Amino acid sequence: MCVKLPQDLKIASLHGLSDRSDGFNQVFQNADAAQTKGLYGIGITDHGTCSGLVAHSVNCKERSLLPVLGCEFYIRVPAYMNEQSDNSKSGRYHITVLSSGKQGYDRLIALDNMSHVNMERVRGVKYPIATFDMLKEVAGE
């Protein structure tokens, strides 16, 4: 059975990647695709980088789309949590963090900067690592 969606329903894609990490499209191409599909907004959550957020925001606003800003951080969990899961041989997991407003954006950038100070290098690949303590520190009240 098909259900007709309400006309005022606003749909946005929250988890999107660009060529700034391991996506295929350039930042402006993601906004173009969202506009073509009639979305209300589109998110960018590149792996380990916030480098495309400003361009993403500008491109979305030029197309009257809601820009959703985020990052998919590499995260180390406490040892007791890692022992309970065999989902990651490396002990690195992903956590998607989305921001809301100027204060959220500032906190997202702070977390990105902190994770880049906590860099791991594995076989020539760099991984900026966030931790639960970092999340707590930037979360505020």
Side-chain angles (χ1 to χ4, degrees):
M1 169 167 48
C2 292
V3 176
K4 187 175 179 186
L5 296 174
Q7 274 191 303
D8 61 344
L9 184 65
K10 296 176 180 174
I11 299 174
S13 173
L14 300 179
H15 181 71
L17 302 172
S18 77
D19 62 345
R20 304 286 175 110
S21 66
D22 54 356
F24 296 107
N25 290 338
Q26 293 178 0
V27 173
F28 76 89
Q29 291 171 313
N30 287 342
D32 283 346
Q35 184 180 38
T36 299
K37 298 207 180 288
L39 296 180
Y40 176 72
I42 185 167
I44 185 171
T45 53
D46 282 323
H47 292 171
T49 182
C50 291
S51 66
L53 295 183
V54 172
H56 174 72
S57 183
V58 168
N59 281 290
C60 285
K61 289 177 182 176
E62 287 174 352
R63 292 160 180 79
S64 300
L65 296 168
L66 174 71
V68 179
L69 306 180
C71 183
E72 189 169 358
F73 289 97
Y74 301 102
I75 190 164
R76 286 263 180 225
V77 299
Y80 74 90
M81 291 177 76
N82 202 36
E83 292 169 2
Q84 297 171 4
S85 171
D86 60 358
N87 289 335
S88 174
K89 292 178 184 175
S90 69
R92 277 187 315 275
Y93 296 88
H94 291 174
I95 185 169
T96 301
V97 179
L98 301 175
S99 68
S100 174
K102 173 74 167 98
Q103 187 178 53
Y105 171 80
D106 290 343
R107 290 177 178 181
L108 189 65
I109 296 301
L111 182 59
D112 187 47
N113 289 338
M114 293 166 81
S115 71
H116 277 82
V117 171
N118 193 32
M119 189 72 70
E120 289 182 5
R121 289 172 178 80
V122 179
R123 292 187 295 279
V125 179
K126 296 178 183 179
Y127 297 95
I129 304 294
T131 64
F132 281 6
D133 289 336
M134 289 177 192
L135 288 169
K136 287 180 197 174
E137 185 176 333
V138 300
E141 296 180 13

